[in-house]
Amino acid sequence: MFDLGISKLVMIGIVALIVIGPERLPKVAKTLGTLLGKAQRYVNDVKREVNQAMEVDELRKVKTSIEGAARDLQQTVRTHASDFQKGVNQVSSELNALDADGADQAVSPPLEELQDASKREFVSAVTPVVYAPVRKDWRARRTAVPRWYKARHQVRKNLQSDAARVARLRLPTDKELH
């Protein structure tokens, strides 16, 4: 926009110093800085509001397209459901017609027996195994860090000093044996 180099800024500063004077120059510079800051914030606010308005407009367009797709999907589901219901009703009427004729009554087992057998197999296959954990030392104080964590990270339980460890692992001398 403006082509301000170092030399032009120095020239503007010298002219401002001469015209305004050294006593009032800091106050004028401060006022000018605050006014420029307010102007910059105002421009940023306007940009933000314009962007928000554009986003709201885009969201409305997306909303209408999604609602249209949902209506189409709902219509297709209803169509397929009614077709399926018609097929089920047709098969049901055919079965009722065959049942009325009494064609296959002796060959097929009763429906209740099949349901009971399937329920029994299902219950035996799905019955969960109940595990009751053993609660040893339930009165003992529990530590803050769980045992599985200590085992995984190899935290030692019984700490000994080096001197105690050496004394424990040292072979007995002849004097101590006699």
Side-chain angles (χ1 to χ4, degrees), residues 4-41:
L4 293 176
I6 298 282
S7 61
K8 289 184 182 178
L9 287 176
V10 170
M11 184 68 88
I12 292 172
I14 291 172
V15 170
L17 183 62
I18 293 172
V19 172
I20 297 174
E23 295 88 27
R24 291 184 2 194
L25 184 62
K27 191 183 285 185
V28 169
K30 182 179 177 184
T31 306
L32 186 64
T34 57
L35 289 176
L36 285 175
K38 286 180 182 178
Q40 193 174 18
R41 283 191 293 277

PDB file of all heavy atoms in Angstrom, residues 4-41:
ATOM      1  N   LEU A   4       6.981   2.672   2.627  1.00  0.00           N
ATOM      2  CA  LEU A   4       7.711   3.417   3.651  1.00  0.00           C
ATOM      3  C   LEU A   4       8.986   2.665   3.990  1.00  0.00           C
ATOM      4  O   LEU A   4       8.944   1.566   4.518  1.00  0.00           O
ATOM      5  CB  LEU A   4       6.869   3.584   4.915  1.00  0.00           C
ATOM      6  CG  LEU A   4       5.626   4.469   4.797  1.00  0.00           C
ATOM      7  CD1 LEU A   4       4.866   4.446   6.101  1.00  0.00           C
ATOM      8  CD2 LEU A   4       6.010   5.888   4.437  1.00  0.00           C
ATOM      9  N   GLY A   5      10.088   3.288   3.718  1.00  0.00           N
ATOM     10  CA  GLY A   5      11.356   2.705   4.081  1.00  0.00           C
ATOM     11  C   GLY A   5      11.869   3.355   5.355  1.00  0.00           C
ATOM     12  O   GLY A   5      11.217   4.206   5.976  1.00  0.00           O
ATOM     13  N   ILE A   6      13.071   2.965   5.775  1.00  0.00           N
ATOM     14  CA  ILE A   6      13.683   3.512   6.982  1.00  0.00           C
ATOM     15  C   ILE A   6      13.925   5.014   6.817  1.00  0.00           C
ATOM     16  O   ILE A   6      13.670   5.799   7.729  1.00  0.00           O
ATOM     17  CB  ILE A   6      15.009   2.775   7.286  1.00  0.00           C
ATOM     18  CG1 ILE A   6      14.753   1.301   7.543  1.00  0.00           C
ATOM     19  CG2 ILE A   6      15.738   3.418   8.452  1.00  0.00           C
ATOM     20  CD1 ILE A   6      14.217   0.991   8.904  1.00  0.00           C
ATOM     21  N   SER A   7      14.388   5.399   5.662  1.00  0.00           N
ATOM     22  CA  SER A   7      14.715   6.814   5.451  1.00  0.00           C
ATOM     23  C   SER A   7      13.468   7.685   5.516  1.00  0.00           C
ATOM     24  O   SER A   7      13.483   8.783   6.089  1.00  0.00           O
ATOM     25  CB  SER A   7      15.427   7.000   4.104  1.00  0.00           C
ATOM     26  OG  SER A   7      14.582   6.588   3.045  1.00  0.00           O
ATOM     27  N   LYS A   8      12.341   7.199   4.976  1.00  0.00           N
ATOM     28  CA  LYS A   8      11.109   7.988   5.009  1.00  0.00           C
ATOM     29  C   LYS A   8      10.550   8.072   6.425  1.00  0.00           C
ATOM     30  O   LYS A   8      10.025   9.102   6.843  1.00  0.00           O
ATOM     31  CB  LYS A   8      10.072   7.382   4.070  1.00  0.00           C
ATOM     32  CG  LYS A   8      10.436   7.573   2.604  1.00  0.00           C
ATOM     33  CD  LYS A   8       9.355   7.046   1.700  1.00  0.00           C
ATOM     34  CE  LYS A   8       9.779   7.218   0.241  1.00  0.00           C
ATOM     35  NZ  LYS A   8       8.769   6.683  -0.673  1.00  0.00           N
ATOM     36  N   LEU A   9      10.667   6.993   7.187  1.00  0.00           N
ATOM     37  CA  LEU A   9      10.209   7.024   8.581  1.00  0.00           C
ATOM     38  C   LEU A   9      11.043   7.997   9.416  1.00  0.00           C
ATOM     39  O   LEU A   9      10.507   8.722  10.267  1.00  0.00           O
ATOM     40  CB  LEU A   9      10.257   5.628   9.187  1.00  0.00           C
ATOM     41  CG  LEU A   9       9.186   4.635   8.714  1.00  0.00           C
ATOM     42  CD1 LEU A   9       9.434   3.270   9.335  1.00  0.00           C
ATOM     43  CD2 LEU A   9       7.810   5.129   9.068  1.00  0.00           C
ATOM     44  N   VAL A  10      12.325   8.042   9.189  1.00  0.00           N
ATOM     45  CA  VAL A  10      13.195   8.984   9.905  1.00  0.00           C
ATOM     46  C   VAL A  10      12.810  10.406   9.543  1.00  0.00           C
ATOM     47  O   VAL A  10      12.744  11.301  10.402  1.00  0.00           O
ATOM     48  CB  VAL A  10      14.677   8.686   9.599  1.00  0.00           C
ATOM     49  CG1 VAL A  10      15.569   9.787  10.132  1.00  0.00           C
ATOM     50  CG2 VAL A  10      15.080   7.347  10.190  1.00  0.00           C
ATOM     51  N   MET A  11      12.521  10.658   8.266  1.00  0.00           N
ATOM     52  CA  MET A  11      12.131  11.995   7.813  1.00  0.00           C
ATOM     53  C   MET A  11      10.818  12.419   8.462  1.00  0.00           C
ATOM     54  O   MET A  11      10.689  13.559   8.920  1.00  0.00           O
ATOM     55  CB  MET A  11      11.989  12.002   6.287  1.00  0.00           C
ATOM     56  CG  MET A  11      11.686  13.370   5.725  1.00  0.00           C
ATOM     57  SD  MET A  11      13.056  14.491   5.914  1.00  0.00           S
ATOM     58  CE  MET A  11      13.919  14.118   4.417  1.00  0.00           C
ATOM     59  N   ILE A  12       9.827  11.508   8.545  1.00  0.00           N
ATOM     60  CA  ILE A  12       8.546  11.820   9.186  1.00  0.00           C
ATOM     61  C   ILE A  12       8.760  12.118  10.661  1.00  0.00           C
ATOM     62  O   ILE A  12       8.154  13.031  11.232  1.00  0.00           O
ATOM     63  CB  ILE A  12       7.541  10.669   8.977  1.00  0.00           C
ATOM     64  CG1 ILE A  12       7.139  10.576   7.510  1.00  0.00           C
ATOM     65  CG2 ILE A  12       6.309  10.832   9.853  1.00  0.00           C
ATOM     66  CD1 ILE A  12       6.306   9.370   7.167  1.00  0.00           C
ATOM     67  N   GLY A  13       9.626  11.349  11.332  1.00  0.00           N
ATOM     68  CA  GLY A  13       9.920  11.579  12.741  1.00  0.00           C
ATOM     69  C   GLY A  13      10.551  12.931  12.989  1.00  0.00           C
ATOM     70  O   GLY A  13      10.210  13.628  13.959  1.00  0.00           O
ATOM     71  N   ILE A  14      11.474  13.363  12.118  1.00  0.00           N
ATOM     72  CA  ILE A  14      12.136  14.668  12.278  1.00  0.00           C
ATOM     73  C   ILE A  14      11.121  15.790  12.078  1.00  0.00           C
ATOM     74  O   ILE A  14      11.086  16.763  12.849  1.00  0.00           O
ATOM     75  CB  ILE A  14      13.324  14.800  11.296  1.00  0.00           C
ATOM     76  CG1 ILE A  14      14.437  13.822  11.719  1.00  0.00           C
ATOM     77  CG2 ILE A  14      13.849  16.223  11.262  1.00  0.00           C
ATOM     78  CD1 ILE A  14      15.558  13.727  10.727  1.00  0.00           C
ATOM     79  N   VAL A  15      10.253  15.660  11.056  1.00  0.00           N
ATOM     80  CA  VAL A  15       9.234  16.689  10.808  1.00  0.00           C
ATOM     81  C   VAL A  15       8.268  16.757  11.983  1.00  0.00           C
ATOM     82  O   VAL A  15       7.879  17.856  12.429  1.00  0.00           O
ATOM     83  CB  VAL A  15       8.495  16.396   9.482  1.00  0.00           C
ATOM     84  CG1 VAL A  15       7.279  17.303   9.319  1.00  0.00           C
ATOM     85  CG2 VAL A  15       9.431  16.576   8.302  1.00  0.00           C
ATOM     86  N   ALA A  16       7.848  15.599  12.521  1.00  0.00           N
ATOM     87  CA  ALA A  16       6.944  15.586  13.665  1.00  0.00           C
ATOM     88  C   ALA A  16       7.606  16.219  14.871  1.00  0.00           C
ATOM     89  O   ALA A  16       6.955  16.949  15.637  1.00  0.00           O
ATOM     90  CB  ALA A  16       6.507  14.161  13.974  1.00  0.00           C
ATOM     91  N   LEU A  17       8.874  15.977  15.085  1.00  0.00           N
ATOM     92  CA  LEU A  17       9.611  16.566  16.213  1.00  0.00           C
ATOM     93  C   LEU A  17       9.654  18.070  16.091  1.00  0.00           C
ATOM     94  O   LEU A  17       9.487  18.795  17.081  1.00  0.00           O
ATOM     95  CB  LEU A  17      11.025  15.971  16.274  1.00  0.00           C
ATOM     96  CG  LEU A  17      11.906  16.413  17.429  1.00  0.00           C
ATOM     97  CD1 LEU A  17      11.272  15.996  18.755  1.00  0.00           C
ATOM     98  CD2 LEU A  17      13.289  15.824  17.303  1.00  0.00           C
ATOM     99  N   ILE A  18       9.858  18.572  14.872  1.00  0.00           N
ATOM    100  CA  ILE A  18       9.941  20.018  14.661  1.00  0.00           C
ATOM    101  C   ILE A  18       8.556  20.658  14.811  1.00  0.00           C
ATOM    102  O   ILE A  18       8.407  21.691  15.475  1.00  0.00           O
ATOM    103  CB  ILE A  18      10.538  20.336  13.275  1.00  0.00           C
ATOM    104  CG1 ILE A  18      11.997  19.889  13.242  1.00  0.00           C
ATOM    105  CG2 ILE A  18      10.415  21.811  12.941  1.00  0.00           C
ATOM    106  CD1 ILE A  18      12.625  19.971  11.873  1.00  0.00           C
ATOM    107  N   VAL A  19       7.525  20.050  14.225  1.00  0.00           N
ATOM    108  CA  VAL A  19       6.197  20.651  14.237  1.00  0.00           C
ATOM    109  C   VAL A  19       5.548  20.541  15.617  1.00  0.00           C
ATOM    110  O   VAL A  19       5.006  21.519  16.134  1.00  0.00           O
ATOM    111  CB  VAL A  19       5.294  19.981  13.167  1.00  0.00           C
ATOM    112  CG1 VAL A  19       3.852  20.454  13.285  1.00  0.00           C
ATOM    113  CG2 VAL A  19       5.823  20.263  11.782  1.00  0.00           C
ATOM    114  N   ILE A  20       5.596  19.373  16.229  1.00  0.00           N
ATOM    115  CA  ILE A  20       4.901  19.159  17.495  1.00  0.00           C
ATOM    116  C   ILE A  20       5.733  19.627  18.676  1.00  0.00           C
ATOM    117  O   ILE A  20       5.204  20.169  19.636  1.00  0.00           O
ATOM    118  CB  ILE A  20       4.527  17.670  17.652  1.00  0.00           C
ATOM    119  CG1 ILE A  20       3.552  17.279  16.538  1.00  0.00           C
ATOM    120  CG2 ILE A  20       3.900  17.389  18.988  1.00  0.00           C
ATOM    121  CD1 ILE A  20       3.228  15.826  16.496  1.00  0.00           C
ATOM    122  N   GLY A  21       6.969  19.405  18.636  1.00  0.00           N
ATOM    123  CA  GLY A  21       7.831  19.782  19.752  1.00  0.00           C
ATOM    124  C   GLY A  21       8.170  18.584  20.600  1.00  0.00           C
ATOM    125  O   GLY A  21       7.429  17.602  20.656  1.00  0.00           O
ATOM    126  N   PRO A  22       9.319  18.652  21.276  1.00  0.00           N
ATOM    127  CA  PRO A  22       9.779  17.496  22.047  1.00  0.00           C
ATOM    128  C   PRO A  22       8.942  17.218  23.295  1.00  0.00           C
ATOM    129  O   PRO A  22       8.920  16.099  23.788  1.00  0.00           O
ATOM    130  CB  PRO A  22      11.218  17.842  22.417  1.00  0.00           C
ATOM    131  CG  PRO A  22      11.332  19.312  22.264  1.00  0.00           C
ATOM    132  CD  PRO A  22      10.303  19.738  21.269  1.00  0.00           C
ATOM    133  N   GLU A  23       8.223  18.209  23.827  1.00  0.00           N
ATOM    134  CA  GLU A  23       7.440  17.964  25.041  1.00  0.00           C
ATOM    135  C   GLU A  23       6.157  17.184  24.749  1.00  0.00           C
ATOM    136  O   GLU A  23       5.749  16.323  25.523  1.00  0.00           O
ATOM    137  CB  GLU A  23       7.041  19.301  25.705  1.00  0.00           C
ATOM    138  CG  GLU A  23       8.194  20.128  26.224  1.00  0.00           C
ATOM    139  CD  GLU A  23       8.749  21.064  25.131  1.00  0.00           C
ATOM    140  OE1 GLU A  23       7.983  21.444  24.218  1.00  0.00           O
ATOM    141  OE2 GLU A  23       9.940  21.359  25.183  1.00  0.00           O
ATOM    142  N   ARG A  24       5.514  17.500  23.640  1.00  0.00           N
ATOM    143  CA  ARG A  24       4.236  16.871  23.340  1.00  0.00           C
ATOM    144  C   ARG A  24       4.363  15.645  22.437  1.00  0.00           C
ATOM    145  O   ARG A  24       3.394  14.918  22.237  1.00  0.00           O
ATOM    146  CB  ARG A  24       3.309  17.893  22.664  1.00  0.00           C
ATOM    147  CG  ARG A  24       2.877  18.980  23.607  1.00  0.00           C
ATOM    148  CD  ARG A  24       1.895  19.947  23.027  1.00  0.00           C
ATOM    149  NE  ARG A  24       1.483  19.680  21.674  1.00  0.00           N
ATOM    150  CZ  ARG A  24       0.852  20.528  20.891  1.00  0.00           C
ATOM    151  NH1 ARG A  24       0.566  21.707  21.357  1.00  0.00           N
ATOM    152  NH2 ARG A  24       0.509  20.223  19.670  1.00  0.00           N
ATOM    153  N   LEU A  25       5.539  15.373  21.872  1.00  0.00           N
ATOM    154  CA  LEU A  25       5.712  14.262  20.925  1.00  0.00           C
ATOM    155  C   LEU A  25       5.401  12.891  21.549  1.00  0.00           C
ATOM    156  O   LEU A  25       4.698  12.101  20.932  1.00  0.00           O
ATOM    157  CB  LEU A  25       7.123  14.278  20.332  1.00  0.00           C
ATOM    158  CG  LEU A  25       7.403  13.229  19.254  1.00  0.00           C
ATOM    159  CD1 LEU A  25       6.484  13.468  18.060  1.00  0.00           C
ATOM    160  CD2 LEU A  25       8.839  13.262  18.823  1.00  0.00           C
ATOM    161  N   PRO A  26       5.857  12.553  22.775  1.00  0.00           N
ATOM    162  CA  PRO A  26       5.514  11.227  23.340  1.00  0.00           C
ATOM    163  C   PRO A  26       4.005  11.047  23.546  1.00  0.00           C
ATOM    164  O   PRO A  26       3.456   9.977  23.292  1.00  0.00           O
ATOM    165  CB  PRO A  26       6.240  11.198  24.678  1.00  0.00           C
ATOM    166  CG  PRO A  26       7.321  12.195  24.561  1.00  0.00           C
ATOM    167  CD  PRO A  26       6.837  13.246  23.619  1.00  0.00           C
ATOM    168  N   LYS A  27       3.330  12.111  23.982  1.00  0.00           N
ATOM    169  CA  LYS A  27       1.885  12.026  24.205  1.00  0.00           C
ATOM    170  C   LYS A  27       1.151  11.828  22.879  1.00  0.00           C
ATOM    171  O   LYS A  27       0.231  11.003  22.774  1.00  0.00           O
ATOM    172  CB  LYS A  27       1.408  13.304  24.882  1.00  0.00           C
ATOM    173  CG  LYS A  27      -0.029  13.214  25.389  1.00  0.00           C
ATOM    174  CD  LYS A  27      -0.494  14.518  25.995  1.00  0.00           C
ATOM    175  CE  LYS A  27       0.136  14.711  27.360  1.00  0.00           C
ATOM    176  NZ  LYS A  27      -0.359  15.905  28.051  1.00  0.00           N
ATOM    177  N   VAL A  28       1.579  12.541  21.833  1.00  0.00           N
ATOM    178  CA  VAL A  28       0.950  12.409  20.519  1.00  0.00           C
ATOM    179  C   VAL A  28       1.227  11.017  19.938  1.00  0.00           C
ATOM    180  O   VAL A  28       0.347  10.391  19.339  1.00  0.00           O
ATOM    181  CB  VAL A  28       1.450  13.527  19.573  1.00  0.00           C
ATOM    182  CG1 VAL A  28       1.015  13.261  18.140  1.00  0.00           C
ATOM    183  CG2 VAL A  28       0.936  14.877  20.036  1.00  0.00           C
ATOM    184  N   ALA A  29       2.438  10.500  20.123  1.00  0.00           N
ATOM    185  CA  ALA A  29       2.781   9.163  19.612  1.00  0.00           C
ATOM    186  C   ALA A  29       1.938   8.089  20.307  1.00  0.00           C
ATOM    187  O   ALA A  29       1.456   7.138  19.678  1.00  0.00           O
ATOM    188  CB  ALA A  29       4.263   8.891  19.807  1.00  0.00           C
ATOM    189  N   LYS A  30       1.732   8.258  21.634  1.00  0.00           N
ATOM    190  CA  LYS A  30       0.915   7.305  22.374  1.00  0.00           C
ATOM    191  C   LYS A  30      -0.532   7.339  21.885  1.00  0.00           C
ATOM    192  O   LYS A  30      -1.160   6.294  21.667  1.00  0.00           O
ATOM    193  CB  LYS A  30       0.980   7.630  23.866  1.00  0.00           C
ATOM    194  CG  LYS A  30       0.208   6.686  24.741  1.00  0.00           C
ATOM    195  CD  LYS A  30       0.339   7.061  26.205  1.00  0.00           C
ATOM    196  CE  LYS A  30      -0.490   6.144  27.057  1.00  0.00           C
ATOM    197  NZ  LYS A  30      -0.442   6.541  28.467  1.00  0.00           N
ATOM    198  N   THR A  31      -1.079   8.530  21.708  1.00  0.00           N
ATOM    199  CA  THR A  31      -2.450   8.668  21.216  1.00  0.00           C
ATOM    200  C   THR A  31      -2.591   8.079  19.820  1.00  0.00           C
ATOM    201  O   THR A  31      -3.562   7.381  19.518  1.00  0.00           O
ATOM    202  CB  THR A  31      -2.859  10.157  21.201  1.00  0.00           C
ATOM    203  OG1 THR A  31      -2.651  10.710  22.503  1.00  0.00           O
ATOM    204  CG2 THR A  31      -4.314  10.326  20.807  1.00  0.00           C
ATOM    205  N   LEU A  32      -1.622   8.352  18.964  1.00  0.00           N
ATOM    206  CA  LEU A  32      -1.640   7.818  17.596  1.00  0.00           C
ATOM    207  C   LEU A  32      -1.584   6.286  17.604  1.00  0.00           C
ATOM    208  O   LEU A  32      -2.296   5.624  16.853  1.00  0.00           O
ATOM    209  CB  LEU A  32      -0.468   8.395  16.791  1.00  0.00           C
ATOM    210  CG  LEU A  32      -0.425   8.055  15.312  1.00  0.00           C
ATOM    211  CD1 LEU A  32      -1.636   8.654  14.620  1.00  0.00           C
ATOM    212  CD2 LEU A  32       0.847   8.556  14.683  1.00  0.00           C
ATOM    213  N   GLY A  33      -0.766   5.704  18.483  1.00  0.00           N
ATOM    214  CA  GLY A  33      -0.672   4.240  18.599  1.00  0.00           C
ATOM    215  C   GLY A  33      -1.977   3.614  19.050  1.00  0.00           C
ATOM    216  O   GLY A  33      -2.402   2.585  18.524  1.00  0.00           O
ATOM    217  N   THR A  34      -2.638   4.244  20.057  1.00  0.00           N
ATOM    218  CA  THR A  34      -3.921   3.700  20.524  1.00  0.00           C
ATOM    219  C   THR A  34      -4.995   3.806  19.444  1.00  0.00           C
ATOM    220  O   THR A  34      -5.799   2.887  19.279  1.00  0.00           O
ATOM    221  CB  THR A  34      -4.395   4.414  21.801  1.00  0.00           C
ATOM    222  OG1 THR A  34      -4.478   5.814  21.545  1.00  0.00           O
ATOM    223  CG2 THR A  34      -3.462   4.133  22.958  1.00  0.00           C
ATOM    224  N   LEU A  35      -5.012   4.906  18.706  1.00  0.00           N
ATOM    225  CA  LEU A  35      -5.994   5.053  17.628  1.00  0.00           C
ATOM    226  C   LEU A  35      -5.759   4.021  16.524  1.00  0.00           C
ATOM    227  O   LEU A  35      -6.712   3.444  15.993  1.00  0.00           O
ATOM    228  CB  LEU A  35      -5.947   6.460  17.053  1.00  0.00           C
ATOM    229  CG  LEU A  35      -6.494   7.576  17.971  1.00  0.00           C
ATOM    230  CD1 LEU A  35      -6.294   8.940  17.323  1.00  0.00           C
ATOM    231  CD2 LEU A  35      -7.943   7.339  18.288  1.00  0.00           C
ATOM    232  N   LEU A  36      -4.510   3.785  16.171  1.00  0.00           N
ATOM    233  CA  LEU A  36      -4.211   2.772  15.156  1.00  0.00           C
ATOM    234  C   LEU A  36      -4.597   1.368  15.645  1.00  0.00           C
ATOM    235  O   LEU A  36      -5.104   0.552  14.880  1.00  0.00           O
ATOM    236  CB  LEU A  36      -2.727   2.814  14.778  1.00  0.00           C
ATOM    237  CG  LEU A  36      -2.302   3.983  13.892  1.00  0.00           C
ATOM    238  CD1 LEU A  36      -0.784   3.964  13.705  1.00  0.00           C
ATOM    239  CD2 LEU A  36      -2.987   3.925  12.554  1.00  0.00           C
ATOM    240  N   GLY A  37      -4.364   1.091  16.928  1.00  0.00           N
ATOM    241  CA  GLY A  37      -4.757  -0.198  17.493  1.00  0.00           C
ATOM    242  C   GLY A  37      -6.264  -0.393  17.464  1.00  0.00           C
ATOM    243  O   GLY A  37      -6.759  -1.468  17.120  1.00  0.00           O
ATOM    244  N   LYS A  38      -7.015   0.677  17.822  1.00  0.00           N
ATOM    245  CA  LYS A  38      -8.478   0.580  17.773  1.00  0.00           C
ATOM    246  C   LYS A  38      -8.964   0.350  16.351  1.00  0.00           C
ATOM    247  O   LYS A  38      -9.881  -0.442  16.111  1.00  0.00           O
ATOM    248  CB  LYS A  38      -9.106   1.847  18.337  1.00  0.00           C
ATOM    249  CG  LYS A  38      -9.015   1.954  19.838  1.00  0.00           C
ATOM    250  CD  LYS A  38      -9.665   3.228  20.346  1.00  0.00           C
ATOM    251  CE  LYS A  38      -9.520   3.351  21.847  1.00  0.00           C
ATOM    252  NZ  LYS A  38     -10.106   4.613  22.352  1.00  0.00           N
ATOM    253  N   ALA A  39      -8.366   1.057  15.392  1.00  0.00           N
ATOM    254  CA  ALA A  39      -8.764   0.891  13.994  1.00  0.00           C
ATOM    255  C   ALA A  39      -8.482  -0.539  13.524  1.00  0.00           C
ATOM    256  O   ALA A  39      -9.295  -1.146  12.822  1.00  0.00           O
ATOM    257  CB  ALA A  39      -8.032   1.900  13.115  1.00  0.00           C
ATOM    258  N   GLN A  40      -7.335  -1.077  13.914  1.00  0.00           N
ATOM    259  CA  GLN A  40      -6.981  -2.440  13.509  1.00  0.00           C
ATOM    260  C   GLN A  40      -7.958  -3.455  14.117  1.00  0.00           C
ATOM    261  O   GLN A  40      -8.398  -4.396  13.453  1.00  0.00           O
ATOM    262  CB  GLN A  40      -5.550  -2.735  13.950  1.00  0.00           C
ATOM    263  CG  GLN A  40      -4.967  -3.972  13.336  1.00  0.00           C
ATOM    264  CD  GLN A  40      -3.498  -4.131  13.705  1.00  0.00           C
ATOM    265  OE1 GLN A  40      -3.016  -3.522  14.658  1.00  0.00           O
ATOM    266  NE2 GLN A  40      -2.799  -4.958  12.963  1.00  0.00           N
ATOM    267  N   ARG A  41      -8.320  -3.288  15.396  1.00  0.00           N
ATOM    268  CA  ARG A  41      -9.285  -4.184  16.037  1.00  0.00           C
ATOM    269  C   ARG A  41     -10.654  -4.096  15.367  1.00  0.00           C
ATOM    270  O   ARG A  41     -11.333  -5.102  15.177  1.00  0.00           O
ATOM    271  CB  ARG A  41      -9.393  -3.873  17.534  1.00  0.00           C
ATOM    272  CG  ARG A  41      -8.227  -4.410  18.357  1.00  0.00           C
ATOM    273  CD  ARG A  41      -8.509  -4.303  19.844  1.00  0.00           C
ATOM    274  NE  ARG A  41      -8.566  -2.931  20.310  1.00  0.00           N
ATOM    275  CZ  ARG A  41      -7.512  -2.187  20.637  1.00  0.00           C
ATOM    276  NH1 ARG A  41      -6.300  -2.688  20.549  1.00  0.00           N
ATOM    277  NH2 ARG A  41      -7.665  -0.949  21.061  1.00  0.00           N
TER     278      ARG A  41
END
